[in-house]
Every structure is written in structure tokens, then in C-alpha cells.
Amino acid sequence: MSAQVINGKELVQAVREHFRLEVEELAQKQVQPGLAVVLVGNDPASAVYVRNKAKACETAGIYSEVHRLPEDTGETELLALVERLNGDKRINGILVQLPLPRHINEDKVIDAIHPDKDVDCFHPVNVGNLMIGKPGFLPCTPAGVIEVLKRMNVDIAGKHAVVVGRSNIVGKPMAMLLLREHATVTVCHSRTPDMEKITSQADILVAAVGRPQMIKAKHIKPGAVVIDVGINRLPDGKLVGDVDFDDVLETAGMITPVPGCVGPMTISMLLANTIVSAKRAAGLE
């Protein structure tokens, strides 16, 4: 029997409608969440992400600014913009789109964002809070994955979850959030021997390795929930995930499509963090 393909569009619409209503309630209290997005250079994928984020803010009623800077923008100039946004009371969240041009130190820029406005959850303070279980922002893509699992009524507690990938943006924080939900978590990566043996034990498999269609049916436990975080463009222009969707479809119990699920849900969690930040700034949380 074919896996249930998760309807990402339907889930995202429900989440964003909830946020729209929440923003309407805040407006009654004279509070409007604000997000500033900074894009340096002309990376096509980054430009698409930024456009989607701005559109999502508009739909939810969140004030947004997009700062588009040329490729040759200096590090000092970018840091000065971040500092100005740190002090802008209209702005509750600051997102600097990565990757940055090579002449700019990404760590310096991330560290310059005030932790209270770090809605991407990249600042060391927020990453530390995540690690020790303190309240704070949740990293957007991993939080989006958890949201998908919960809305699909997937029981996470006690299950064996395997994360393929150990990046700071997805793999590591994904493992932490699954642990918070009481899963038993294994992290696989490029140096994991016999990965197939491990992934095929997973009740929940999260693929976040950045290699197109790497995960095949042989990696999947029959009936497993497969969450594909990857988004890769093939030479023919087709967008695919880290999971070979067609190959896995008859083995998995549930699977996310690419594109159309984890990506839009990631943006939804960015909205969630921005709303939380606005509430804190207004003393409402």
C-alpha cells in the first residue's frame, strides 16, 4: 500500500490562519509584530525564500521590511544595519538570509543580532537555551517538522527517530527537539558506517543531508514516517528532496512531498517566533 502523502498546503494554511487571528488580537492591544529580512547579493534561491517570507508576513498582518544589499556590501556596513535594526522598536525579529558572500564572516553577523530578535534561533544564547531546555525561540525548520508530526497525530514519545544530517541549522537542533518530545534519537552523517542498518530501524526518519534522492526504500522501515527536509535542484531544473520519493512511496507509512511541506512550514515557524518576540516586547508573555 502506498504511503499517505502529507498535505503540506493544507497544514500550512491552517497554521497561518491561526497566526493571522493571533495578530488580529494583538492589534486590538496596539501591538503589531515586525520582521526585518536582510538579503546580501543576488543568490536566486535566497531571493525566492525572502520573497516568500515577505508574502507570508503580509498575509498574517505582520509588518515586514526587506533590506536588499549588493554583493559587494562590506561586513562593517552589514553589521551597522543589524545594530540599527536591534534598536528599532518596530522590529521584533531580524533574519539575515544565509549564505552570505565569502568576504563576510557569518558568525560575526549572527552574533551581532540581539538574542531577543534572533527569530532564526542561530545566536549562541538561543542555541544554548535550546540545548538545556530553557524557554526561547525554536529553530524554524526543526520546529516546522515537529509541527507537521503533531498535526498529523504522529506519536513521537517512545519512538525511535533517526535524523540524517548533523548541520547546525537542521540536524543538531532537530535531534534536540525530538528528544524534547521523548523520542529515542540517533543522528547519522557522512561518516556513519552501514547507515542503511540504522535508518531502517527508524519509526520516524528525518532526512536533512542535502544530497538529492539519497534515501531509498532500502533505508526505510515499512510503515515509517518519513520527513524530507532537503530541497535540491536537478540538472533538468526539477526540485527534489533528499528522499527518492517514488522509490520510498510503497514502503513508508507517511511521507512529506518536496516541495510543498517542510519549506512553507519553516516560514510559518518564523512567523511564530516573530509573534512571540512581539508579545515579550509588549510584556504580554
Side-chain angles (χ1 to χ4, degrees):
M1 182 181 292
S2 291
Q4 176 184 358
V5 180
I6 295 172
N7 189 329
K9 183 177 181 180
E10 190 176 90
L11 294 184
V12 169
Q13 284 178 340
V15 170
R16 294 193 185 176
E17 176 62 13
H18 170 76
F19 293 151
R20 187 187 67 79
L21 294 173
E22 194 170 6
V23 171
E24 280 188 359
E25 289 181 10
L26 287 174
Q28 301 299 318
K29 301 172 182 176
Q30 310 303 312
V31 175
Q32 183 183 31
L35 174 69
V37 179
V38 181
L39 175 63
V40 183
N42 301 302
D43 180 74
S46 292
V48 171
Y49 293 149
V50 167
R51 187 164 61 247
N52 289 341
K53 288 165 185 173
K55 184 177 179 181
C57 283
E58 182 182 358
T59 302
I62 293 174
Y63 170 74
S64 70
E65 297 178 353
V66 177
H67 299 264
R68 293 181 172 87
L69 306 178
E71 183 82 19
D72 60 357
T73 297
E75 183 176 282
T76 301
E77 184 181 349
L78 177 56
L79 290 172
L81 172 59
V82 169
E83 188 57 33
R84 179 170 70 78
L85 294 171
N86 279 336
D88 190 336
K89 292 184 178 180
R90 296 173 303 168
I91 300 300
N92 304 109
I94 302 170
L95 185 153
V96 178
Q97 186 67 43
L98 303 180
L100 290 169
R102 290 187 177 181
H103 65 277
I104 296 177
N105 185 316
E106 288 187 355
D107 288 341
K108 274 189 182 179
V109 175
I110 290 169
D111 290 354
I113 298 171
H114 194 287
D116 290 346
K117 296 191 177 187
D118 169 43
V119 288
D120 250 342
C121 193
F122 288 167
H123 193 283
V125 168
N126 288 324
V127 173
N129 285 337
L130 172 67
M131 285 293 296
I132 62 177
K134 275 192 172 183
F137 297 127
L138 297 180
C140 297
T141 298
V145 171
I146 296 295
E147 187 72 20
V148 169
L149 292 172
K150 288 185 173 181
R151 286 186 174 264
M152 293 304 297
N153 296 313
V154 174
D155 186 10
I156 305 172
K159 298 298 175 61
H160 184 193
V162 174
V163 180
V164 184
R166 54 175 170 175
S167 70
N168 289 334
I169 294 175
V170 182
K172 291 176 184 176
M174 187 74 255
M176 289 300 102
L177 290 190
L178 287 164
L179 282 172
R180 277 194 182 189
E181 299 296 330
H182 311 295
T184 298
V185 183
T186 303
V187 179
C188 295
H189 48 80
S190 59
R191 297 191 182 182
T192 301
D194 201 5
M195 187 184 298
E196 177 187 335
K197 182 178 179 181
I198 298 171
T199 59
S200 61
Q201 298 175 37
D203 302 303
I204 300 168
L205 178 69
V206 181
V209 71
R211 291 178 57 185
Q213 300 176 318
M214 171 186 163
I215 302 298
K216 308 290 186 182
K218 65 181 182 179
H219 294 96
I220 306 298
K221 176 182 178 180
V225 178
V226 179
I227 307 291
D228 193 349
V229 175
I231 185 158
N232 312 278
R233 192 174 294 277
L234 298 179
D236 64 3
K238 182 181 179 182
L239 288 175
V240 299
D242 292 348
V243 176
D244 189 333
F245 185 89
D246 292 337
D247 192 52
V248 166
L249 194 59
E250 297 300 319
T251 304
M254 197 179 291
I255 188 169
T256 58
V258 174
C261 188
V262 174
M265 192 62 85
T266 294
I267 294 175
S268 300
M269 296 302 101
L270 175 67
L271 303 184
N273 282 345
T274 303
I275 293 168
V276 167
S277 181
K279 287 180 176 179
R280 289 176 183 164
L284 299 174
E285 185 166 302

